[in-house]
Amino acid sequence: MLDVARAAQVSVATVSALINGTTRVSPALTQRIEAAISAIGYERNAIARSLKLGATKTIGLLVTDIRNPFFADIVATIQYALNRVGYAVMVCSSDEDTALQDMQIKLLLDRAVDGLIIAPAGEDVMLKDFLASVRRPMVIIDRTCEGLDADTVTLDNRKAVLDATSYLVGLGHRRIGYIAGPLITSTGRDRLSGYRDALTEAGVPYVEELVQGGDSREAGGYRAAMQLLTQRDRPSAIFSANNLMTIGTMRAIRDAGLSCPDDISVACFDDFPWADVFRPHLTTIAQPVQAIGEYAANLLLDRLFGQADEAPRRLVVQGRLIVRESCRALARP
Amino acid sequence: MLDVARAAQVSVATVSALINGTTRVSPALTQRIEAAISAIGYERNAIARSLKLGATKTIGLLVTDIRNPFFADIVATIQYALNRVGYAVMVCSSDEDTALQDMQIKLLLDRAVDGLIIAPAGEDVMLKDFLASVRRPMVIIDRTCEGLDADTVTLDNRKAVLDATSYLVGLGHRRIGYIAGPLITSTGRDRLSGYRDALTEAGVPYVEELVQGGDSREAGGYRAAMQLLTQRDRPSAIFSANNLMTIGTMRAIRDAGLSCPDDISVACFDDFPWADVFRPHLTTIAQPVQAIGEYAANLLLDRLFGQADEAPRRLVVQGRLIVRESCRALARP
DNA sequence: AATGCTAGTCTAAACGTTTAGAAGGAGCCA
DNA sequence: TGGCTCCTTCTAAACGTTTAGACTAGCATT
């Protein structure tokens, strides 16, 4: 900018004024400055600008796994919503690893992001103190973090699983296997409680051995499903608590030489874009992904522009059970 | 930092020296400074630091569609590789829209990224001049950009499709439909040429109407497949040139009331993590995604650290045909 | 006693912007 | 002519670091 100013024989203040349109600049100088800019090929240094303005117009987004289509969708939506208003998005993936998660957050903070959107991994309790120490606008998505004063966008997980389980019960299923996500997360607990509540409502006894813990990845889903499928009194249906574990579940069913829905019914959390194209056509709970992303972006923008000290807002959205063909009705005995 | 220096009664230079470990600091001062830092809760301002150092330790990554599992995987791999060496990744998605792409690149440059990894969208020619004007280390992945002096990592697309097509021919197929990606991209052209070359090799005539252009999204794949399926002399096999179009293709087959592989065989580009779990078990060309991501990250790091003026390197990796059950052998007539 | 070396610390000048407030000039009115 | 206002432009001080080079004191060497 100094070079431009010299070439145009004006002060840097005038160049800055012209570029930012903060003050009127006479036509004569405007022309000279513009000529100098294009002659030199000047590009404003964004770092110096950020330093002076105290904002980077960048937000950090941390998810547990970009490869998970659910989060890929979330990332795309948030990215789009924030780009529209001039913000860039720095994406990190914690791979469900709390140590990595801490590193990533530090990495983001060290890039001086103006705000954060986080889908937390690992145990709430551990994370809480760490996040509380981050003095930056922040919204938590997907899972909650008990006791943390931050905006959140979450699904009504209990209700969603309750609906799906009730649907299975309605088809006549009594032994329903449940492949759970990690119970150290609010999501894992809420979804499981939906399952329990549905059974209770229907008067079906809750059987400990029908609930198997997965790790929310494909491998965990596979192990858990195998456990269920090899029990002497095999369940007639399985509910899988997230999309990656569902893939593992289906692989286990295949490896066990069984067929869905003939030998075993399957319902699961999270929809797939191809669910009605490949067989078995899965019955799923679809999350309103777009809405979650938009809400998260908007909550953060509100904080960035507006009242930073307002009470935290907690948005809860509803899932939707999409019935396809992976669950069959049991004949009444 | 000034506050810390004052509180510890030292100069800012000493504080900086301690924090960065650039010079030895006596135990007495070390203790005083550390006490002051934790008392004040000081955190180094990364922007000021970047300004002084002239580097942000951040790279920009632009893909055409984060929701595409292929790119999600690429993003995750690159992110991991760069995080490991202290770089953050700013991700943008152009949604195959060249105007949006230009905006995103400007957005990234305006954040003063140290380098760029780009999977270009749209016509090569348009992009070339724009990218050439970006004076920053850069590597192009997935597609090439004719005439642009940049490092690239690409797949041997022609060879991959040639293999797949030859496989179909070997099964006895003669009328093989081809659902092409946009021919304004190198990827689109190279893949198509693999198809043509395989036919030529086998002495099978190339039929214009068997090649239908998709838009590389699901909707385009659907339209193209429908076109093929409703021809009087329906092809016995279809090759779909990317993963999203494949979903569209399968949807079209379903909507046409046909079954794969009984009524029509399907092979396609890009593997799915669930391809061997859901039916039909697709025969696909798998790209070495991890390798592509790693190579891209390493090429960029080489540029960032080393010789910025070295001749551009062009890496080409090989795909792998994974035969499953979506293609059936035709009885010899 | 003069000199040199080492270790630890400091001063001050960058890095490239933005912006408050000063300065200068033109036009207008009494 | 003097006093006002308005418009444009400039000066200079931030923003929070890093770092070359100066300085000091203590100690060993000649």
Side-chain angles (χ1 to χ4, degrees):
Chain A
M1 183 178 276
L2 187 61
D3 295 336
V4 171
R6 262 202 278 265
Q9 303 182 57
V10 297
S11 75
V12 287
T14 310
V15 178
S16 176
L18 177 63
I19 291 176
N20 298 305
T22 47
T23 318
R24 275 195 55 77
V25 175
S26 68
L29 291 202
T30 299
Q31 208 201 337
R32 272 184 9 227
I33 294 172
E34 282 173 349
I37 286 179
S38 62
I40 293 179
Y42 165 77
E43 287 175 26
R44 174 173 72 189
N45 181 311
I47 308 181
R49 182 161 209 265
S50 291
L51 174 61
K52 191 64 191 150
L53 297 181
T56 51
K57 287 277 198 173
T58 300
I59 76 109
L61 172 57
L62 177 66
V63 297
T64 56
D65 183 5
I66 301 185
R67 277 177 257 246
N68 184 324
F70 170 69
F71 283 120
D73 216 346
I74 291 272
V75 169
T77 310
I78 289 178
Q79 217 246 149
Y80 182 75
L82 290 175
N83 274 186
R84 220 171 28 200
V85 291
Y87 277 78
V89 176
M90 229 179 258
V91 180
C92 287
S93 177
S94 65
D95 291 342
E96 294 282 355
D97 174 337
T98 52
L100 193 53
Q101 172 170 260
D102 286 11
M103 267 194 46
Q104 308 276 37
I105 294 178
K106 286 211 189 83
L107 191 89
L108 290 173
L109 291 175
D110 199 45
R111 293 302 176 295
V113 292
D114 292 345
L116 286 165
I117 299 179
I118 297 179
E123 193 153 10
D124 309 349
V125 197
M126 308 297 299
L127 194 61
K128 188 189 120 191
D129 297 334
F130 181 51
L131 288 184
S133 74
V134 175
R135 316 201 157 288
R136 214 115 7 149
M138 182 165 47
V139 3
I140 306 290
I141 58 173
D142 188 45
R143 307 179 186 170
T144 62
C145 194
E146 213 78 9
L148 183 67
D149 263 6
D151 295 333
T152 56
V153 184
T154 50
L155 193 84
D156 187 344
N157 285 293
R158 188 191 141 276
K159 175 69 162 47
V161 177
L162 188 137
D163 288 351
T165 310
S166 299
Y167 165 72
L168 288 170
V169 170
L171 289 178
H173 294 279
R174 289 296 173 270
R175 283 186 68 80
I176 302 173
Y178 183 88
I179 300 181
L183 296 182
I184 53 169
T185 70
S186 68
T187 314
R189 289 190 300 271
D190 293 348
R191 293 184 187 176
L192 181 56
S193 76
Y195 167 78
R196 296 189 72 144
D197 291 356
L199 295 187
T200 308
E201 252 180 35
V204 176
Y206 174 84
V207 181
E208 196 92 17
E209 63 183 4
L210 284 179
V211 175
Q212 296 292 328
D215 58 358
S216 86
R217 313 296 291 258
E218 182 181 329
Y222 183 88
R223 276 194 302 275
M226 264 310 181
Q227 238 291 333
L228 291 170
L229 296 174
T230 52
Q231 289 178 11
R232 318 103 270 156
D233 190 3
R234 203 176 63 211
S236 64
I238 289 182
F239 182 87
S240 155
N242 93 358
N243 52 5
L244 264 28
M245 292 197 303
T246 302
I247 309 249
T249 301
M250 300 312 290
R251 195 182 301 279
I253 290 174
R254 189 205 59 183
D255 286 358
L258 300 173
S259 156
C260 165
D262 298 335
D263 302 317
I264 189 153
S265 294
V266 172
C268 63
F269 220 98
D270 294 321
D271 198 27
F272 300 88
W274 39 266
D276 53 353
V277 174
F278 287 85
R279 286 189 317 269
H281 297 165
L282 286 175
T283 290
T284 65
I285 293 167
Q287 298 199 47
V289 189
Q290 311 272 336
I292 295 174
E294 297 263 348
Y295 286 155
N298 288 332
L299 283 178
L300 189 61
L301 289 174
D302 283 356
R303 288 261 167 222
L304 286 173
F305 294 139
Q307 2 19 20
D309 44 359
E310 246 188 19
R313 289 184 284 173
R314 306 188 180 282
L315 265 44
V316 176
V317 296
Q318 294 297 326
R320 190 165 54 91
L321 181 68
I322 302 181
V323 175
R324 296 201 183 87
E325 303 154 16
S326 61
C327 305
R328 76 179 247 269
L330 251 45
R332 282 288 153 112
Chain B
M1 183 180 275
L2 187 61
D3 295 337
V4 171
R6 262 201 279 264
Q9 303 182 60
V10 297
S11 75
V12 287
T14 310
V15 178
S16 176
L18 177 64
I19 291 176
N20 297 306
T22 47
T23 319
R24 276 192 54 78
V25 175
S26 68
L29 292 203
T30 299
Q31 208 203 337
R32 257 160 50 203
I33 294 172
E34 281 173 350
I37 285 179
S38 63
I40 292 180
Y42 165 78
E43 287 174 27
R44 175 173 70 189
N45 180 312
I47 308 182
R49 182 161 210 266
S50 291
L51 176 60
K52 190 68 190 147
L53 298 181
T56 51
K57 287 276 200 174
T58 299
I59 76 111
L61 172 57
L62 177 66
V63 297
T64 56
D65 184 4
I66 301 185
R67 276 177 257 244
N68 184 325
F70 170 69
F71 284 119
D73 214 345
I74 291 273
V75 170
T77 310
I78 289 178
Q79 216 246 148
Y80 182 75
L82 289 175
N83 274 185
R84 219 170 28 200
V85 290
Y87 277 79
V89 177
M90 230 177 258
V91 180
C92 287
S93 177
S94 65
D95 291 343
E96 294 282 356
D97 175 336
T98 52
L100 193 53
Q101 172 170 261
D102 285 10
M103 268 194 46
Q104 306 276 37
I105 294 178
K106 286 211 189 84
L107 191 89
L108 290 173
L109 291 176
D110 199 44
R111 295 300 177 295
V113 292
D114 292 344
L116 286 165
I117 298 179
I118 298 181
E123 194 155 8
D124 308 350
V125 196
M126 307 297 300
L127 194 60
K128 188 190 121 192
D129 297 335
F130 181 52
L131 287 184
S133 74
V134 175
R135 318 200 154 288
R136 213 114 8 146
M138 181 165 47
V139 2
I140 306 290
I141 58 173
D142 189 44
R143 308 180 187 170
T144 62
C145 195
E146 214 78 10
L148 183 68
D149 264 6
D151 295 333
T152 56
V153 184
T154 50
L155 192 85
D156 188 344
N157 285 293
R158 189 190 140 278
K159 175 69 163 48
V161 176
L162 188 138
D163 288 351
T165 310
S166 299
Y167 165 72
L168 287 171
V169 171
L171 289 179
H173 293 278
R174 289 296 173 269
R175 283 187 67 80
I176 302 171
Y178 184 87
I179 300 181
L183 296 183
I184 52 169
T185 70
S186 68
T187 314
R189 288 191 301 270
D190 293 349
R191 292 184 187 176
L192 180 57
S193 74
Y195 167 78
R196 297 188 71 144
D197 291 357
L199 294 187
T200 308
E201 252 179 36
V204 175
Y206 173 83
V207 180
E208 195 94 15
E209 64 182 7
L210 284 178
V211 175
Q212 294 293 328
D215 59 357
S216 87
R217 313 296 292 258
E218 184 182 329
Y222 183 87
R223 275 194 304 274
M226 264 310 178
Q227 236 293 330
L228 290 170
L229 296 175
T230 53
Q231 288 176 10
R232 316 106 268 152
D233 189 5
R234 205 175 64 212
S236 64
I238 289 182
F239 183 86
S240 153
N242 94 356
N243 53 5
L244 264 27
M245 293 197 302
T246 302
I247 310 252
T249 301
M250 301 311 290
R251 195 180 300 278
I253 290 175
R254 188 205 60 183
D255 286 358
L258 299 172
S259 155
C260 164
D262 298 334
D263 302 317
I264 189 153
S265 294
V266 173
C268 63
F269 220 98
D270 293 322
D271 198 28
F272 300 88
W274 39 265
D276 54 352
V277 174
F278 288 84
R279 284 190 318 273
H281 297 164
L282 286 177
T283 290
T284 63
I285 294 168
Q287 299 199 48
V289 189
Q290 311 272 335
I292 295 173
E294 298 263 349
Y295 286 154
N298 287 334
L299 283 179
L300 189 61
L301 289 174
D302 283 356
R303 289 261 165 221
L304 287 172
F305 294 138
Q307 8 10 27
D309 44 359
E310 246 187 18
R313 288 185 284 174
R314 306 187 179 284
L315 265 46
V316 177
V317 297
Q318 294 297 328
R320 191 164 53 90
L321 181 69
I322 302 182
V323 174
R324 297 201 183 88
E325 304 154 16
S326 60
C327 305
R328 75 180 248 266
L330 250 43
R332 283 289 151 112

